[in-house]
Amino acid sequence: MNILKEKITLGKFGKTYGIKGWIKLFSYTQNKKNIFLYKKLFIQKNIKNIFFIKFNQYIKKKKYFIVQINNFYKTEEIINFINHKIYIFKYQLVKYKDKQEYYWNDIIGCHILNINKVYLGKVINIIETKIYDIIIIKSNNLYKKNKKILIPFIEPNIIKNIDLINHIIKVNWSL
């Protein structure tokens, strides 16, 4: 198994900010500030070349952070970070002790069966709303081929069972 394929995207760098080595950071973690709690974050320049990053300082802006990284204090030192995704190795994620908590990347790729054992499709994404998360399923149904199905992630009313070992989610949902 290639360890570089077992990575999770936690954020992305944007444009440089000012002249003292600051760069915009967009966090993809649920609590945006939690990106600063992870160790061994990295960017991947190509298939074999990864670069570990460490945040020296950060400042919260409205929809992003500005950060200084790896003791770089000049714009020309960080210009190569623009638009790079920020990763962590999957094995470094904290395993939840509570079986009711999941990482989104554990849910993406799971197959969806309804309570009548009808196959609805495969989870391709999850979106967050203010009320509840919504799983997006690519349908394989003959009549809805390649259509997307949106199902609210509400346990236990709609999401009945999540089996991460077999990658199957049972739902109370019909087409």
Side-chain angles (χ1 to χ4, degrees), residues 103-120:
Y103 287 109
W104 281 11
N105 70 293
D106 292 333
I107 301 295
I108 294 172
C110 285
H111 299 280
I112 304 295
L113 294 173
N114 71 12
I115 55 176
N116 298 322
K117 298 184 181 178
V118 175
Y119 181 70
L120 301 180

Side-chain angles (χ1 to χ4, degrees), residues 6-174:
E6 294 290 317
K7 63 187 179 204
I8 306 295
T9 306
L10 291 184
K12 181 179 179 180
F13 287 117
K15 296 179 181 178
T16 59
Y17 188 94
I19 60 171
K20 296 187 177 182
W22 293 85
I23 190 167
K24 290 181 180 180
L25 166 73
F26 299 91
S27 174
Y28 299 162
T29 57
Q30 187 171 14
N31 179 343
K32 303 301 180 200
K33 197 173 180 179
N34 282 355
I35 194 168
F36 301 109
L37 300 176
Y38 290 94
K39 307 292 181 219
K40 295 190 178 183
L41 294 168
F42 65 93
I43 63 170
Q44 188 173 0
K45 294 188 176 190
N46 57 45
I47 294 174
K48 294 184 179 181
N49 190 3
I50 65 172
F51 185 82
F52 288 96
I53 56 173
K54 180 182 160 205
F55 299 111
N56 297 342
Q57 299 181 63
Y58 67 89
I59 298 172
K60 173 79 172 114
K61 295 294 184 179
K62 193 169 188 174
K63 295 186 178 185
Y64 59 89
F65 295 92
I66 56 171
V67 296
Q68 281 187 322
I69 53 174
N70 292 37
N71 296 318
F72 295 141
Y73 298 104
K74 296 181 182 173
T75 301
E76 49 277 1
E77 294 174 322
I78 60 159
I79 203 156
N80 292 328
F81 292 94
I82 294 173
N83 292 326
H84 273 83
K85 290 183 180 177
I86 301 165
Y87 302 103
I88 188 170
F89 292 117
K90 188 174 182 176
Y91 72 86
Q92 292 176 300
L93 292 175
V94 174
K95 297 292 181 200
Y96 286 122
K97 292 180 181 176
D98 182 356
K99 293 190 180 211
Q100 299 301 318
E101 295 188 80
Y102 316 97
Y103 287 109
W104 281 11
N105 70 293
D106 292 333
I107 301 295
I108 294 172
C110 285
H111 299 280
I112 304 295
L113 294 173
N114 71 12
I115 55 176
N116 298 322
K117 298 184 181 178
V118 175
Y119 181 70
L120 301 180
K122 188 175 182 179
V123 179
I124 58 169
N125 201 358
I126 302 173
I127 54 176
E128 184 178 0
T129 67
K130 290 183 180 180
I131 302 170
Y132 44 76
D133 296 337
I134 297 173
I135 56 176
I136 301 173
I137 298 152
K138 183 177 179 183
S139 174
N140 285 337
N141 182 298
L142 181 62
Y143 302 107
K144 296 184 182 281
K145 187 104 173 142
N146 295 323
K147 298 284 183 181
K148 293 180 181 165
I149 303 168
L150 305 177
I151 299 177
F153 197 95
I154 301 173
E155 292 181 280
N157 297 351
I158 296 173
I159 306 296
K160 293 296 187 183
N161 183 36
I162 298 176
D163 179 355
L164 293 178
I165 294 170
N166 295 307
H167 303 285
I168 296 173
I169 300 174
K170 289 186 182 169
V171 296
N172 185 10
W173 197 264
S174 56

